[in-house]
């Protein structure tokens, strides 16, 4: 099988509106939006090496050889050190390679180049860069090998690539990157999906029903604007969400109560969006903040940093609703305000700046930019 002229694919980042942490449990809902900042992946030919990956965040890149069902890193120690920043891309390539192998095909040598707008001066913004690069890499590598994927296939291959590295990620970032706009998302049972792939193969798995998985598009708020603030403090989603796996927490009364409260808040927010009830949506976003705050107080996760608390309080002071977006502990927070309240929006941005929170010129990406 031979490659062709270079091919590029793009995928947007994401923000959580409600449901983070609870969505990690299979079948439980969250609301996310895609943002108008993207990761771009370009695939072109490579001479002499099976796979070369370079990234604007990993200068120098790394070289790989296809061995069995995986990629083996080559080169010097400095190349091996770059691998930690490229693991999502490696996993994406391996999954596409696996699908090709099941179809009796072999991927050609390729040079994979990644460029990201989900970072600021090399520091991640908390916009789902890992998910976006996985989706873009799956789409670009598949297209270079002659396979144009449907949105559903892109998501499923990206979810398999992510779950192979660990089943802790809900995949909500992948779904937002694939479908764009506002979405309601229910996470699949990642362990069951991995087991299915091992038993039945990738081809059959991406076509089969996935337990727990659900997705539907949502209309945006009718008269609200989404404001985004960055704390300047990067946070590790895996580290924060991983603490919920504590044996004494799993299955406890407190855990069941948290998930039930989060689910009710998300479902009510979905109804508010579908009915165009902006006031109810604001009330539910405030409720989602409280659900996270109670979880934080109980488990001492560190979701609410001083800057994220200031971000939320500044929005409340001008009549808006705000909360951390995603795992918290830094990264971004969101606020929803009346779109016509220009004075209050200006006051909010000024309040954020005074608290050391950077207002970000980020908007919702309404289209499937992960397609061509």
């Amino acid at each position: 099988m031979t490659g062709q002229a270079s091919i590029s694919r793009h995928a947007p980042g994401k923000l959580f509106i409600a449901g983070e942490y609870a969505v990690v449990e299979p079948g439980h809902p969250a609301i996310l939006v895609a943002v108008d900042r993207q990761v771009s992946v370009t695939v072109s030919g490579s001479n002499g090496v099976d796979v070369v990956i370079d990234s604007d965040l990993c200068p120098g890149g790394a070289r790989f050889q296809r061995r069995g069902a995986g990629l083996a890193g080559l080169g010097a120690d400095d190349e091996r050190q770059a691998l930690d920043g490229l693991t999502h891309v490696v996993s994406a390539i391996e999954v596409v390679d696996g699908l090709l192998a099941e179809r009796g095909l072999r991927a050609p040598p390729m040079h994979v180049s990644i460029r990201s707008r989900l970072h600021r001066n090399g520091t991640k913004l908390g916009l789902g860069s890992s998910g976006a690069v996985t989706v873009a890499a799956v789409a670009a590598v598949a297209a270079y090998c002659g396979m144009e994927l449907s949105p559903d296939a892109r998501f499923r291959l990206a979810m398999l690539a992510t779950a192979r590295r660990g089943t802790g990620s809900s995949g909500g970032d992948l779904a937002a990157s694939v479908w764009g706009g506002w979405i309601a998302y229910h996470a699949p049972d990642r362990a069951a999906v991995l087991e299915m792939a091992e038993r039945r193969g990738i081809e059959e798995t991406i076509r089969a029903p996935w337990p727990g998985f659900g997705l539907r598009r949502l209309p945006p708020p009718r008269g609200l604007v989404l404001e985004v603030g960055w704390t300047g403090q990067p946070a590790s989603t895996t580290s924060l969400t991983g603490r919920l796996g504590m044996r004494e927490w799993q299955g406890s009364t407190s855990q069941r109560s948290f998930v039930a409260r989060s689910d009710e808040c998300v479902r009510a927010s979905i109804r508010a969006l579908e009915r165009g009830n902006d006031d109810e949506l604001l009330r539910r976003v405030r409720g989602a903040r409280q659900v996270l705050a109670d979880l934080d107080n109980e488990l001492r996760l560190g979701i609410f940093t001083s800057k994220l608390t200031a971000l939320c309080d500044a929005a409340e002071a001008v009549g808006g609703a705000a909360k951390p977006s995603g795992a918290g502990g830094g990264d971004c927070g969101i606020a929803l305000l009346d779109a016509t309240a220009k004075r209050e929006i200006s006051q909010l941005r000024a309040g954020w700046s005074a608290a050391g929170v950077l207002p970000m010129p980020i908007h919702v990406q309404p289209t499937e930019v992960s397609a061509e």
Side-chain angles (χ1 to χ4, degrees):
M1 180 179 184
T2 59
Q4 48 186 300
S6 66
I7 284 182
S8 296
R9 293 293 182 266
H10 319 283
K14 65 83 179 82
L15 287 165
F16 270 94
I17 302 300
E20 49 268 93
Y21 284 100
V23 72
V24 172
E25 298 293 329
H28 292 275
I31 299 172
L32 300 98
V33 298
V35 301
D36 61 349
R37 290 194 176 212
Q38 306 169 2
V39 170
S40 298
V41 174
T42 300
V43 183
S44 56
S46 171
N47 294 322
V49 179
D50 284 343
V51 177
V52 178
I53 306 175
D54 73 73
S55 165
D56 52 0
L57 299 176
C58 295
R63 299 172 296 153
F64 300 84
Q65 183 177 24
R66 289 185 166 97
R67 291 181 184 168
L71 299 182
L74 303 172
D77 289 342
D78 57 343
E79 286 193 16
R80 295 191 183 99
Q81 290 171 4
L83 300 188
D84 285 344
L86 302 174
T87 52
H88 298 282
V89 180
V90 169
S91 190
I93 295 170
E94 289 175 340
V95 167
V96 175
D97 279 0
L99 180 59
L100 286 168
E102 290 181 14
R103 295 179 178 181
L105 302 171
R106 179 176 172 83
M110 60 182 65
H111 186 122
V112 182
S113 183
I114 301 109
R115 299 294 178 264
S116 175
R117 295 185 60 233
L118 303 182
H119 295 73
R120 180 182 173 90
N121 299 325
T123 301
K124 74 185 191 75
L125 299 171
L127 297 173
S129 57
S130 298
V133 75
T134 304
V135 168
V138 163
V141 172
Y144 186 74
C145 296
M147 296 188 298
E148 287 294 347
L149 303 172
S150 68
D152 190 66
R154 283 200 303 276
F155 167 77
R156 288 168 182 259
L157 288 171
M159 185 78 262
L160 280 172
T162 300
R164 284 181 172 191
R165 300 185 64 255
T167 57
S169 172
S170 72
D173 52 353
L174 307 173
S177 287
V178 168
W179 278 281
W182 289 69
I183 60 169
Y185 173 77
H186 296 70
D189 184 329
R190 282 83 71 197
V193 167
L194 280 179
E195 191 274 334
M196 188 190 308
E198 292 171 3
R199 197 164 36 87
R200 298 162 60 178
I202 296 172
E203 183 88 66
E204 189 172 343
T205 297
I206 64 174
R207 301 177 187 277
W210 281 9
F213 173 56
L215 182 136
R216 73 176 190 263
R217 295 185 181 277
L218 297 173
R222 288 186 179 178
L224 299 177
V225 64
L226 179 67
E227 293 287 315
V228 183
W230 183 49
T231 66
Q233 301 166 310
S236 170
T237 298
T238 302
S239 174
L240 286 159
T241 58
R243 299 182 202 174
L244 295 187
M246 295 182 299
R247 187 173 303 170
E248 60 271 22
W249 165 253
Q250 284 296 320
S252 67
T253 301
S254 295
Q255 190 253 1
R256 291 194 299 270
S257 173
F258 162 71
V259 171
R261 290 176 64 204
S262 177
D263 287 357
E264 171 54 28
C265 191
V266 172
R267 293 187 181 114
S269 298
I270 291 170
R271 291 193 296 270
L273 284 165
E274 291 179 334
R275 296 170 182 173
N277 189 336
D278 288 346
D279 288 340
E280 176 67 6
L281 180 62
L282 290 174
R283 189 168 78 85
R284 294 300 180 171
V285 169
R286 294 185 186 107
R289 174 191 177 183
Q290 189 60 53
V291 170
L292 286 179
D294 291 345
L295 176 69
D296 203 19
N297 289 336
E298 180 178 359
L299 297 184
R300 305 297 180 191
L301 296 177
I303 297 172
F304 282 84
T305 63
S306 59
K307 287 186 178 181
L308 282 173
T309 298
L311 179 152
C312 295
D313 291 346
E316 291 288 346
V318 295
K323 57 182 284 295
S325 178
D331 287 340
C332 287
I334 59 161
L336 290 168
L337 292 87
D338 183 342
T340 65
K342 304 301 183 184
R343 180 169 173 268
E344 285 76 8
I345 294 171
S346 294
Q347 288 176 336
L348 172 68
R349 294 172 180 172
W352 281 357
S353 296
V357 174
L358 180 66
M360 298 293 291
I362 290 174
H363 303 93
V364 175
Q365 172 57 258
T367 58
E368 290 178 11
V369 298
S370 52
E372 185 172 356

